[in-house]
Amino acid sequence: MSGIQGKVIAITGASSGIGAETAAHLGERGARLVLAARREDRLKAVVDGITAKNGTAIGVLVDVTRREDLQRLTDTALDHYGRLDVLVSNAGTMAVSPFDDLRQDDWDAMVSTHITGLLNGIGAALPIFRRQRSGQFVNVGSTAAYVVKTPQAVYAATKTAVKVLTEGLRQESGPDLRVTLVSPGFTNTEGVGKGASPEAAAALTQQRDEIAMPPSAIASAIGYAIEQPDGVDVSEIVVRPTVQT
Ligand SMILES: NC(=O)c1ccc[n+]([C@@H]2O[C@H](COP(=O)([O-])OP(=O)(O)OC[C@H]3O[C@@H](n4cnc5c(N)ncnc54)[C@H](OP(=O)(O)O)[C@@H]3O)[C@@H](O)[C@H]2O)c1
């Protein structure tokens, strides 16, 4: 199976930003989508936007930190479409702050969303992909895993974990499965600065407004990795604005 047309693709964090844009991009190209997030109204708006353009999408309320929610997501794909071809693990939180602020709930949220959330997705999708003898994981990392900038250490550490887990999974995946890491740089989404300490949020949103790329840059990178033929693994893509250091 190659291309995007007809593929069953589940996307976490699909209610806004990169996830919503990726859903729209894949929906326009004929994917059958299962979209996941926690905010029901925002998720419904994304699903409705796709179906209004004759795309195929359903929404599932999912908190990726909960193992059973990811199981429900993949079960929904099987119930509705009979298979799952791709899981895009994109849900994330950029609630960055200096260590001295001791925003430990935010540290926990980044660890549980990016690391536990990713593992929950692997746990739910891997047995399906093995049974089908086909499937693709697309994991959304960050350039923060390549260049660590203060006060983003916890965020960068969790995105480094995403990078490491993705590479380890790729090595174990065998000839039938594909595993892709897509690492965005500054991207113009509502998530930049959201939940961050006030100074960090101000600096990040200012930088976003000055240099960020549109989320379509990441959506098309994800689409590129998915549309390759079976047997071609786009293992890693880093996309950043030219002006980002
Ligand atoms: N924007 C950037 O500059 C940038 C750069 C590098 C990497 N990234 C990564 O790109 C991904 C998407 O971020 P974005 O920029 O598009 O920000 P965003 O618009 O805030 O999107 C984040 C998405 O994740 C969902 N989410 C957060 N926690 C969740 C949880 N526990 N369970 C389920 N869904 C959850 C949110 O939906 P709900 O709140 O509705 O659940 C939302 O749909 C993240 O992994 C982020 O780290 C972004």
Side-chain angles (χ1 to χ4, degrees):
M1 206 181 198
S2 66
I4 292 168
Q5 177 75 37
K7 277 190 177 160
V8 179
I9 302 177
I11 305 174
T12 69
S15 59
S16 61
I18 291 168
E21 189 75 22
T22 301
H25 179 91
L26 299 173
E28 280 169 16
R29 286 157 183 77
R32 294 177 287 169
L33 299 165
V34 192
L35 304 180
R38 297 165 302 179
R39 289 171 297 173
E40 190 167 13
D41 54 336
R42 297 289 300 268
L43 187 62
K44 186 175 180 310
V46 175
V47 170
D48 290 348
I50 291 166
T51 53
K53 291 183 174 171
N54 295 319
T56 306
I58 48 173
V60 184
L61 287 183
V62 165
D63 179 340
V64 297
T65 67
R66 295 160 56 92
R67 199 183 292 179
E68 60 273 26
D69 285 16
L70 265 300
Q71 199 64 54
R72 195 154 37 74
L73 177 64
T74 56
D75 285 349
T76 303
L78 296 182
D79 289 348
H80 280 256
Y81 305 122
R83 57 184 294 112
L84 176 67
D85 296 300
V86 185
L87 173 62
V88 180
S89 291
N90 163 75
T93 170
M94 296 175 274
V96 300
S97 56
F99 282 109
D100 276 321
D101 285 3
L102 298 178
R103 292 166 72 123
Q104 289 182 246
D105 287 345
D106 294 341
W107 303 348
D108 288 350
M110 287 186 270
V111 170
S112 62
T113 308
H114 302 150
I115 303 178
T116 309
L118 177 63
L119 293 171
N120 286 340
I122 293 170
L126 186 57
I128 299 169
F129 291 167
R130 290 291 187 216
R131 255 195 329 272
Q132 293 175 169
R133 304 190 65 148
S134 114
Q136 181 175 14
F137 292 98
V138 178
N139 299 336
V140 176
S142 170
T143 53
Y146 299 75
V147 182
V148 182
K149 291 185 178 161
T150 185
Q152 300 183 18
V154 176
Y155 176 74
T158 61
K159 288 298 186 175
T160 301
V162 171
K163 185 168 177 271
V164 170
L165 292 167
T166 304
E167 173 58 13
L169 181 62
R170 187 193 65 76
Q171 290 181 24
E172 290 184 29
S173 62
D176 299 327
L177 271 51
R178 305 192 297 166
V179 183
T180 301
L181 176 69
V182 176
S183 296
F186 249 110
T187 310
N188 198 340
T189 71
E190 67 179 47
V192 175
K194 191 169 163 184
S197 62
E199 303 77 34
L204 287 168
T205 50
Q206 186 186 342
Q207 214 180 349
R208 176 193 65 193
D209 296 343
E210 285 168 6
I211 72 163
M213 355 170 243
S216 57
I218 307 305
S220 58
I222 291 173
Y224 173 78
I226 292 173
E227 73 193 4
Q228 301 309 308
D230 279 353
V232 176
D233 184 62
V234 178
S235 307
E236 193 166 340
I237 306 180
V238 182
V239 186
R240 45 163 82 85
T242 48
V243 291
Q244 184 176 330
T245 52

